[in-house]
Structures are given as structure tokens and as C-alpha cells.
Amino acid sequence: GQNIDQPTEMTATEGAIVQINCTYQTSGFNGLFWYQQHAGEAPTFLSYNVLDGLEEKGRFSSFLSRSKGYSYLLLKELQMKDSASYLCAVRDSNYQLIWGAGTKLIIKP
Amino acid sequence: DAGITQSPRYKITETGRQVTLMCHQTWSHSYMFWYRQDLGHGLRLIYYSAAADITDKGEVPDGYVVSRSKTENFPLTLESATRSQTSVYFCASSERGADSGNTIYFGEGSWLTVV
């Protein structure tokens, strides 16, 4: 079966750096997405990786290793507003998105 | 820029009743999707549509019906609601379905409780 694994919850301190990991086992691979979802709100797009390596976008970066079935989202200079769930999703060989259950990130002052 | 809107945002219904969740997008996106989100699960695809009058089942279609007579609307109907259908429902759209990097945009969600 297809599977996306992320930690359920993480805690970090304001101003620090946090890395959220995502491992996947899917039938084929056509890209990996990260979405941010604040409590009670819709998911919003953060990043997309289809080739190995690091994609940087301001305070957020996303890394992909296709051979290892692994990605991470790196958040720098954490702010209280970064408290949210972070969803990893992989597009499989049928171009369907397979979603992880999400990682709830708690930021403490 | 209205984007993608869902209604109702919150609904309580009784077991056995029919419920329709509405979804409207103003971007003329070809693809539209219905997901449900439950604690401990990732977003699960119920149905999707590649264009008007074309719909396909997703991962969890049982108990749901969709239609797409117009590009901008994609209603989801629970024919006879069950407690297991208590969930948050998200409608989403994307310009194209299969292209690399194609982003999915989500509506605000509809919170449905079946009692």
C-alpha cells in the first residue's frame, strides 16, 4: 500500500529552527508538496519538490531525496504564527495526491 | 477575488438525512476535488472531476454522490448521512490535474456533524 509518514507533533522555541521529516512509500513519484494548515482553516501551499535537492523560499526550505523516499521541511527564525500543522503529500504514478496525516508544530515563546 | 467558496460552513444533521455541500470556484479551474479530513488521517479523496460532466471516484467514495454540470460548481451529496460521515470536508481546485508543480487550492472547509 501507499504510505506517508510524518511525526504527529513537534515543539520548538520562537526564533529557533525546526525540521519536519516526511518519508513516503508510493507507487511511483511525480512530485512532493508541503502545505501549511492553521487550526480551523484550509491547507495552503508552501512548497513543491520534484528533483533531488533543496528548494529555498524565505524562511522555509524543503529538501527531497527520491532514492531514500524522504523529504523535510525546514523552518528558520520561528515565529508564533508558524504554529500550525504541516502536511506532506506525494503525487503518485497515477498523478493522485497521497497525503500524510500532518505534523502539528507548537511554538513556545 | 472570491477564489473557492464552500457552503454551508457548519452543518448538523440527523442520521439518514440527505445533505448537500456546495462548492463554487471563480478561477475556471478544470479540476475540482472533494476531500474529507479526520483526526489521525491525512486528507482522503472522495471524488474528483477533470472537467464539466466528468467525475471519478477517489479513495473513499461510498455514501457520496457528486455532479458537475458547470465548470465552476461541484456539489457533494451525502445520500443518507451516517455518523461515520461526521468530518471536515474540503473542496479544492487546480488549473490542471497532472502537470508538475500544479498547486491545489482549498476552500475554507465545511464542518459536518451527523447525530
Side-chain angles (χ1 to χ4, degrees), chain B residues 13-98:
Chain B
T13 192
E14 295 177 337
T15 302
R17 289 200 181 260
Q18 179 174 287
V19 176
T20 296
L21 306 180
M22 304 300 292
C23 179
H24 176 78
Q25 54 109 350
T26 60
W27 292 311
S28 299
H29 283 173
S30 298
Y31 280 77
M32 295 188 76
F33 310 85
W34 274 106
Y35 288 94
R36 60 178 291 173
Q37 188 176 40
D38 305 288
L39 266 177
H41 289 91
L43 288 160
R44 291 184 289 177
L45 183 64
I46 304 170
Y47 270 95
Y48 68 100
S49 168
D53 297 321
I54 300 175
T55 61
D56 271 303
K57 294 179 180 179
E59 181 186 354
V60 289
D62 294 343
Y64 303 95
V65 174
V66 292
S67 62
R68 193 157 177 217
S69 56
K70 292 184 179 181
T71 300
E72 61 266 29
N73 296 325
F74 191 40
L76 175 74
T77 298
L78 289 67
E79 295 183 295
S80 178
T82 64
R83 289 198 181 92
S84 65
Q85 292 178 310
T86 293
S87 186
V88 183
Y89 291 86
F90 285 100
C91 180
S93 71
S94 65
E95 190 173 4
R96 299 176 299 276

Side-chain angles (χ1 to χ4, degrees), chain A residues 39-105:
Chain A
E41 298 183 10
T44 55
F45 172 77
L46 281 180
S47 69
Y48 170 76
N49 295 71
V50 66
L51 299 176
D52 291 350
L54 189 69
E55 293 281 342
E56 297 187 78
K57 194 184 287 187
R59 294 190 298 115
F60 292 8
S61 302
S62 56
F63 171 83
L64 174 67
S65 168
R66 287 171 296 170
S67 62
K68 295 181 179 178
Y70 168 70
S71 172
Y72 68 73
L73 181 70
L74 191 72
L75 292 73
K76 303 175 185 175
E77 301 169 15
L78 286 169
Q79 302 175 10
M80 297 304 292
K81 67 179 182 179
D82 297 329
S83 291
S85 288
Y86 291 85
L87 314 180
C88 174
V90 172
R91 182 166 276 150
D92 69 10
S93 57
N94 293 319
Y95 290 91
Q96 295 298 326
L97 273 179
I98 312 300
W99 294 84
T103 299
K104 182 178 181 180
L105 178 63

